Amino acid sequence: MKISIVGAGYVGLVTGGCLAELGHQVMCIDSDADKVATLNAAGLPIYEPGLQELMTRNRAEGRIHFTTDMAQAVEHGEVIFIAVGTPSKEDGSADLQHVLAVATQIGRHLKKFKVIVNKSTVPVGTAYRVQKCLQDELLKRGIQESLFEVISNPEFLKEGAAIKDFMHPDRIVIGLDDSPNYKTVHQKMELLYSSFNRHHARTIWMDVRSAELTKYAANAMLATRISFMNEIANLSDLLGADIDSIRRGIGADQRIGHDFLYAGTGYGGSCFPKDTRALIQTALDCGSQMKVVTAVENVNDHQKTLLVTRLIQHFGEDFTGLKFAVWGLAFKPNTDDMREAPSLVIIEELLKRGAQVSAFDPLAALEGQEALSDKLQDSDVLKHFNLSETAYEAAEDADALLVVTEWKTFHHPDFELLTETMRQPLILDGRNLYDPQMLQDLGIAYQGIGRRNQLALNFKAGTVRKQAEITA
Ligand SMILES: NC(=O)c1ccc[n+]([C@@H]2O[C@H](COP(=O)([O-])OP(=O)(O)OC[C@H]3O[C@@H](n4cnc5c(N)ncnc54)[C@H](O)[C@@H]3O)[C@@H](O)[C@H]2O)c1
């Protein structure tokens, strides 16, 4: 089938690459000429495991092309996906400017019937607005005929495992309303995704509004699990209980399950924060309130500052003269995506309190530095931030090491080397990677999120001191 995909970002490129891999003829279009040039020069503007190989193979076999030309893309695809960004507006609602601009551009070039599939995460009612933009453009050209059907097909892939998620979906949600085109569109979409329905039907058909809301409900549910576990972890810290035992204890209940029960420094990324905000705003627009989701967001905002709060408890409010190492910048492993990463909140707070920060990320170092410069508007404190070539270099002479992203490469560090090279062997483990007892045995002051046996208790006995006091 001939497919066009508007927006060559994380979702667009993965969708395009995977559909090409299934044999479809794919054209990806993006308004960013630099991105398209990179793609046409066999590069990739983002990192996603396995995507480069997928692109190389399908480019070579002529099944995927990249362009900035909307007329060409509209002409090409029988099915046209919209996969552009829907960031937060200031009030938290989803900014639909890119989605609606794309609808208008498509409308300008429509000559024959196309299925317009909205893959971007959008509030309920957006399909209708897309339809209106398309219709207006057709009317401007004097075309009365209905040359399109707008449907919803939200995307559930996870960055870092996006290809696997796309190729082995738990479900494919398609929202399609009753219309004269219903049968044609249903058949086309069944055919498009038939590879995924061979073993058993994974497509869940519903009306468009329900499909639009399904995506927000899914992300809000996942975010809720994370914030819930973070609250239980924080309570565990107060009570001397262990969140990891609790996680296993509740995850074994089949009604709960083991996934998404990890306590940490809060969720970030391009989806959960903006989608929970948008859902809250959608409810407010209807005169209602999402009380649970609002609490989820508040808990998360608090959780992002937890490691800094702990440092304040140990070192005081002023971090002047202290050096902190940060391991991990990306919002999660296996991605270079820095959108709403907890590391940005943590590093900003450390720098503003006068600390020197050395950070290491195996993949997102430059993206992290760029995101930090944007956030801090090139403020003076940035001169106290530097990227390190290795994790150990970052930790040299550090007064504490903060583990912020659970990259595999951080799972088994050389603790002896850390003890020798850090100014004070103190690890704040924001992802609960290490065994508290083992670190205690090694003489490393350790604090995880909701873990028992924390040598952190020893700081109170004075093992951790400010550098100024050490040198005095
Ligand atoms: N990233 C994820 O993990 C993920 C997962 C599921 C759903 N989503 C949703 O999918 C959508 C896309 O997310 P993303 O992360 O791929 O975004 P992204 O920012 O990585 O990519 C969006 C792309 O759209 C392009 N674009 C913007 N306006 C355009 C226009 N008028 N014409 C052509 N191209 C245009 C941008 O240049 C950019 O390359 C969002 O609504 C997001 O919420 C994202």
Side-chain angles (χ1 to χ4, degrees):
M1 197 180 282
K2 287 186 168 178
I3 313 292
S4 292
I5 297 171
V6 188
Y10 287 88
V11 169
L13 287 176
V14 169
T15 304
C18 291
L19 290 177
E21 182 76 2
L22 297 175
H24 297 295
Q25 295 291 323
V26 177
M27 182 170 291
C28 293
I29 168 182
D30 202 287
S31 52
D32 183 334
D34 289 341
K35 257 186 196 181
V36 172
T38 303
L39 287 158
N40 278 328
L44 259 190
I46 56 161
Y47 174 78
E48 181 59 42
L51 188 57
Q52 182 72 60
E53 296 82 333
L54 204 69
M55 285 298 180
T56 305
R57 188 163 54 244
N58 285 285
R59 256 195 218 103
E61 291 171 17
R63 282 193 299 269
I64 192 160
H65 296 90
F66 306 95
T67 182
T68 52
D69 183 352
M70 184 62 90
Q72 205 188 348
V74 174
E75 170 67 25
H76 173 83
E78 315 163 39
V79 174
I80 302 174
F81 282 94
I82 300 177
V84 294
T86 46
S88 288
K89 287 206 281 196
E90 240 169 58
D91 65 0
S93 61
D95 185 347
L96 295 178
Q97 61 164 313
H98 301 301
V99 171
L100 300 179
V102 167
T104 300
Q105 288 156 19
I106 294 173
R108 265 179 218 148
H109 300 289
L110 264 188
K111 294 193 184 114
K112 55 184 184 209
F113 184 82
K114 308 279 173 177
V115 182
I116 313 295
V117 184
N118 194 11
K119 226 178 206 328
S120 296
T121 302
V122 292
V124 171
T126 303
Y128 174 76
R129 295 179 66 185
V130 167
Q131 191 179 323
K132 173 96 177 49
C133 291
L134 288 159
Q135 201 70 58
D136 287 351
E137 286 305 312
L138 290 179
L139 286 175
K140 276 187 203 162
R141 289 193 281 133
I143 301 171
Q144 305 284 345
E145 226 183 316
S146 169
L147 287 184
F148 60 85
E149 186 71 34
V150 179
I151 71 171
S152 167
N153 172 211
E155 182 51 60
F156 298 100
L157 62 76
K158 302 182 286 297
E159 283 173 25
I163 291 174
K164 182 175 162 283
D165 287 348
F166 195 96
M167 288 303 207
H168 304 278
D170 295 331
R171 80 298 208 190
I172 298 160
V173 169
I174 302 184
L176 167 61
D177 286 341
D178 207 11
S179 87
N181 302 315
Y182 186 93
K183 205 169 157 206
T184 316
V185 176
H186 195 286
Q187 277 173 353
K188 245 188 219 304
M189 294 307 287
E190 280 286 1
L191 183 62
L192 176 72
Y193 285 130
S194 56
S195 314
F196 305 129
N197 290 319
R198 287 165 67 85
H199 179 264
H200 64 273
R202 288 192 170 85
T203 306
I204 301 172
W205 292 92
M206 57 182 78
D207 64 279
V208 170
R209 296 171 82 82
S210 301
E212 288 172 335
L213 192 52
T214 296
K215 173 67 191 176
Y216 284 104
N219 276 357
M221 172 71 90
L222 294 169
T224 301
R225 283 173 76 101
I226 296 173
S227 279
F228 176 80
M229 288 308 284
N230 282 335
E231 271 206 317
I232 298 286
N234 295 343
L235 186 61
S236 300
D237 269 332
L238 297 174
L239 298 174
D242 178 39
I243 192 65
D244 205 44
S245 307
I246 297 167
R247 177 181 67 76
R248 281 181 279 116
I250 64 174
D253 183 329
Q254 286 183 8
R255 293 168 302 174
I256 296 174
H258 290 286
D259 290 343
F260 258 80
L261 292 183
Y262 289 91
T265 54
Y267 59 76
S270 65
C271 293
F272 291 176
K274 88 170 168 63
D275 293 348
T276 46
R277 279 196 294 265
L279 188 58
I280 291 167
Q281 194 57 40
T282 296
L284 289 175
D285 292 345
C286 303
S288 179
Q289 273 185 326
M290 296 296 290
K291 292 180 192 158
V292 172
V293 184
T294 303
V296 165
E297 200 189 18
N298 290 339
V299 168
N300 195 57
D301 287 345
H302 170 264
Q303 202 68 13
K304 284 185 179 180
T305 61
L306 185 68
L307 295 189
V308 177
T309 307
R310 287 182 170 174
L311 288 174
I312 293 170
Q313 284 162 0
H314 302 309
F315 293 107
E317 298 273 349
D318 180 6
F319 293 166
T320 311
L322 295 169
K323 177 192 163 179
F324 298 122
V326 172
W327 280 7
L329 294 170
F331 84 95
K332 67 173 187 176
N334 299 323
T335 184
D336 58 357
D337 199 340
M338 283 300 303
R339 287 177 280 188
E340 309 222 23
S343 65
L344 295 172
V345 175
I346 294 168
I347 294 172
E348 178 180 17
E349 202 51 42
L350 297 178
L351 292 173
K352 284 189 171 164
R353 288 175 181 278
Q356 173 76 36
V357 177
S358 293
F360 172 75
D361 188 288
L363 195 74
L366 295 177
E367 288 79 0
Q369 189 160 41
E370 212 176 288
L372 201 60
S373 298
D374 286 350
K375 189 170 167 61
L376 294 175
Q377 303 282 319
D378 290 321
S379 132
D380 219 29
V381 293
L382 270 174
K383 64 175 186 278
H384 298 299
F385 173 81
N386 74 285
L387 290 173
S388 298
E389 291 287 316
T390 69
Y392 297 104
E393 186 187 305
E396 259 172 45
D397 293 327
D399 293 281
L401 162 62
L402 283 66
V403 181
V404 178
T405 314
E406 66 274 37
W407 284 98
K408 284 227 162 50
T409 168
F410 302 151
H411 284 204
H412 300 282
D414 181 342
F415 289 114
E416 273 178 27
L417 182 60
L418 285 175
T419 316
E420 281 163 22
T421 55
M422 287 178 70
R423 205 183 279 162
Q424 317 192 40
L426 164 61
I427 296 182
L428 296 191
D429 180 359
R431 297 294 170 190
N432 287 345
L433 294 184
Y434 309 129
D435 177 1
Q437 186 62 52
M438 186 179 118
L439 267 69
Q440 183 165 9
D441 294 346
L442 289 168
I444 296 176
Y446 173 84
Q447 201 164 24
I449 312 275
R451 307 301 303 279
R452 280 186 75 225
N453 280 334
Q454 307 199 353
L455 196 65
L457 296 173
N458 287 358
F459 318 153
K460 289 174 191 151
T463 54
V464 173
R465 286 170 295 139
K466 231 173 148 163
Q467 175 59 14
E469 293 163 19
I470 294 169
T471 46

